[in-house]
């Protein structure tokens, strides 16, 4: 077990010294999470991890589908435990007059609303930007959709898979003679969530100067395009279209995964010229350094077959621990290809406190990813895992000043 408190409220054996308890950096910020599956809710989770009061608003009879995605234990969806952490849960049917009125009352005291309905849906319910900003001129409204709020695709159903395809990611992923490859997890949604949380904080900083809120229009297809690097300018200036290269890179070599004598897989990267030189010396082939083509990453990439043969051959004759130790001593870049079992046991993740343990009323102790980064003075924390559907409805409405009779009337009318 770990034995020291780190700067994320985690316990790690090698953690930095404990910091005094201070308010979390986003304490006092209220976020209304109206979104589902997955980018919008994950952006709200990231804000909640650093102290924002996130109120998750779900339909009374159609909960967030992530509650039923993936494996469950004792009927409890595990993905929701991650996505719903640090959120209070309120049920509200926004299409009803009662639900609309309650939302506007919540908006009046909120800082951020995150939604991912198809464009026009909130407006259909008379809850568009005009109505929300009238209730709170300082509100930041983050609208997270597949294709954005306008354009020919705006009203199409949009999911991260489509963004991974449209952005160019799938086209460059996979083996050269194989099909375009999609990731086996929500990559585009996760990248869009990061971008949305950044956009929200940017808009909030602007509000501090102007006193006015604004709309964030986040199209999931755009953050994926942003992280693909120089492909647009390569094509614009050279007509170059990056091909699929499998685990290799068209920019440098050796860069691949290699199997060790004891069956482990290791990843090697030589983006820096000096690292490439160290690797070839380590594996006993310094003669490659004298080749004119070895002096550039592109030159080395053109000779990837030769480099993979000598690097892969050397690694195949040694065990994993021996290879890692030799690379570390040579100051060359290597990492084990972990499955999730390896991640949970990895000593570096353990030192960083990257996996945290949380007490949960439904499942007992649960482990999940910790908050995204460490702050030295005002750390974030996973305070609780995702809670049952609607579990905080009465308490949140009570904070608005609604009486038990009013709450009962809303529930009887189908608004809750």
């Amino acid at each position: 077990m770990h034995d020291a408190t780190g700067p994320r409220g985690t316990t790690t054996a090698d953690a930095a010294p404990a910091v005094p308890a201070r308010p979390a950096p986003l304490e006092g910020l209220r976020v209304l999470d109206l979104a589902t599956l997955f980018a919008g809710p994950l952006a709200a989770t990231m804000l909640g991890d650093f102290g924002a009061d996130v109120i998750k608003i779900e339909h009374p009879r159609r909960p967030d589908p992530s509650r039923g995605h993936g494996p469950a234990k004792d009927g409890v969806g595990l993905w929701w435990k991650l996505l719903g952490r640090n959120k209070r849960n309120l049920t509200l049917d926004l299409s009803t007059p009662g639900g609309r009125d309650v939302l506007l009352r919540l908006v009046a005291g909120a800082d951020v609303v995150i939604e991912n309905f198809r464009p026009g849906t909130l407006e259909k319910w008379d809850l568009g930007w005009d109505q929300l900003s009238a209730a709170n001129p300082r509100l930041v409204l983050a609208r997270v959709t597949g294709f954005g709020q306008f354009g020919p695709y705006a009203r199409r159903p949009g999911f991260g898979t489509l963004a991974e395809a449209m952005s160019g990611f799938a086209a460059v992923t996979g083996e050269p003679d194989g099909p375009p490859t999609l990731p086996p997890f929500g990559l585009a949604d996760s990248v869009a969530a990061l971008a949305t949380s950044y956009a929200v904080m940017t808009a909030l900083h602007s509000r501090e100067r102007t006193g006015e809120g604004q709309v964030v229009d986040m199209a999931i297809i755009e953050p994926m395009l942003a992280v693909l690097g120089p492909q647009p300018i390569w094509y614009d200036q050279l007509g170059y279209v990056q091909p699929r290269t499998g685990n290799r890179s068209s920019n440098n070599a050796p860069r691949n995964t290699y199997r060790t004598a004891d069956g482990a897989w290791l990843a090697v990267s030589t983006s820096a010229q000096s690292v490439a030189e160290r690797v070839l010396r380590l594996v006993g082939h310094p003669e490659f350094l004298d080749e004119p083509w070895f002096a550039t990453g592109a030159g080395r990439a053109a000779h990837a077959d030769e480099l993979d043969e000598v690097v892969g051959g050397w690694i195949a004759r040694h065990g994993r621990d021996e290879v890692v130790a030799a690379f570390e001593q040579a100051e060359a870049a290597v990492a084990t290809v972990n499955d999730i079992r390896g991640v949970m046991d990895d000593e570096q993740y353990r030192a960083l406190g990257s996996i945290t343990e949380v007490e949960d009323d439904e499942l007992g102790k649960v482990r999940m990813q910790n908050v995204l980064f460490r702050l030295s003075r005002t750390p974030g924390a996973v305070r609780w895992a995702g809670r049952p559907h609607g579990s905080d409805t009465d308490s949140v409405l009570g904070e608005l000043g609604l009486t038990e009779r009013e709450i009962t009337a809303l529930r009887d009318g189908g608004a809750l």
Side-chain angles (χ1 to χ4, degrees), residues 28-32 52-55 88 106 109-112 399-400:
L29 193 75
R30 174 164 285 187
V31 177
L32 305 181
D53 176 21
V54 179
I55 299 175
R88 298 193 286 164
L106 286 166
D111 299 281
V112 179
E399 292 172 8
L400 283 179

Side-chain angles (χ1 to χ4, degrees), residues 4 50 60 111 115 132 162 169 190 218 237 244-245 256 319 327 337 341 388:
F50 286 90
D111 299 281
E115 62 97 359
L132 297 180
L162 307 189
F169 171 83
S190 300
M218 179 61 66
Q237 295 297 303
R244 287 191 291 282
T245 56
N256 213 325
F327 268 70
V337 178
R341 292 168 295 187

Side-chain angles (χ1 to χ4, degrees), residues 8-61:
R8 291 197 287 198
T10 62
T11 53
T12 87
D14 303 316
V19 295
R22 292 183 174 91
L26 298 184
E27 190 169 315
L29 193 75
R30 174 164 285 187
V31 177
L32 305 181
D33 175 9
L34 279 57
T36 59
L37 290 180
F38 284 98
L42 183 56
T45 301
M46 292 173 178
L47 299 174
D49 285 349
F50 286 90
D53 176 21
V54 179
I55 299 175
K56 173 72 175 181
I57 297 176
E58 299 175 83
H59 192 280
R61 293 162 292 282

Side-chain angles (χ1 to χ4, degrees), residues 234 240 242-256 268-271 297-298 300-304 308:
W234 282 345
Y240 175 73
Q242 182 174 326
R244 287 191 291 282
T245 56
N247 289 325
R248 288 179 172 176
S249 169
S250 57
N251 303 312
N252 65 81
R255 191 264 199 182
N256 213 325
V268 172
S269 176
T270 59
S271 296
R300 287 186 276 112
H303 292 262
D308 275 349

Side-chain angles (χ1 to χ4, degrees), residues 281-307:
R281 290 193 185 99
L282 170 63
V283 301
H285 287 276
E287 70 276 10
F288 280 97
L289 279 61
D290 298 325
E291 297 287 349
W293 51 260
F294 195 87
T296 67
R300 287 186 276 112
H303 292 262
D305 285 343
E306 301 162 61
L307 295 172

Side-chain angles (χ1 to χ4, degrees), residues 265-276:
W265 285 94
L266 300 175
V268 172
S269 176
T270 59
S271 296
Q273 181 69 25
S274 59
V275 174

Side-chain angles (χ1 to χ4, degrees), residues 247-378:
N247 289 325
R248 288 179 172 176
S249 169
S250 57
N251 303 312
N252 65 81
R255 191 264 199 182
N256 213 325
T257 58
Y258 307 94
R259 197 167 194 176
T260 65
D262 51 1
W265 285 94
L266 300 175
V268 172
S269 176
T270 59
S271 296
Q273 181 69 25
S274 59
V275 174
E277 294 171 2
R278 292 172 196 153
V279 170
L280 269 296
R281 290 193 185 99
L282 170 63
V283 301
H285 287 276
E287 70 276 10
F288 280 97
L289 279 61
D290 298 325
E291 297 287 349
W293 51 260
F294 195 87
T296 67
R300 287 186 276 112
H303 292 262
D305 285 343
E306 301 162 61
L307 295 172
D308 275 349
E309 183 178 357
V310 297
V311 173
W314 184 87
I315 289 175
R317 295 192 297 273
H318 300 81
R320 182 191 65 177
D321 293 346
E322 184 182 0
V323 174
V324 171
F327 268 70
E328 185 173 352
Q329 185 174 5
E331 297 183 357
V334 69
T336 302
V337 178
N338 284 329
D339 60 16
I340 193 58
R341 292 168 295 187
V343 170
M344 301 292 265
D345 291 335
D346 190 283
E347 60 184 358
Q348 182 61 28
Y349 281 129
R350 186 173 296 144
L352 294 173
S354 303
I355 301 295
T356 190
E357 189 175 80
V358 185
E359 289 284 353
D360 182 71
D361 290 341
E362 294 179 289
L363 298 176
K365 293 183 185 297
V366 295
R367 290 190 293 168
M368 63 180 68
Q369 300 96 317
N370 210 333
V371 301
L372 193 59
F373 49 86
R374 289 165 294 282
L375 295 178
S376 61
R377 288 187 174 273
T378 54

Side-chain angles (χ1 to χ4, degrees), residues 100 104 107-108 128-139:
R100 177 186 181 275
L104 290 175
V107 164
W129 174 242
D130 290 344
Q131 290 74 32
L132 297 180
S133 61
N136 182 354
R138 290 173 55 82
L139 183 73

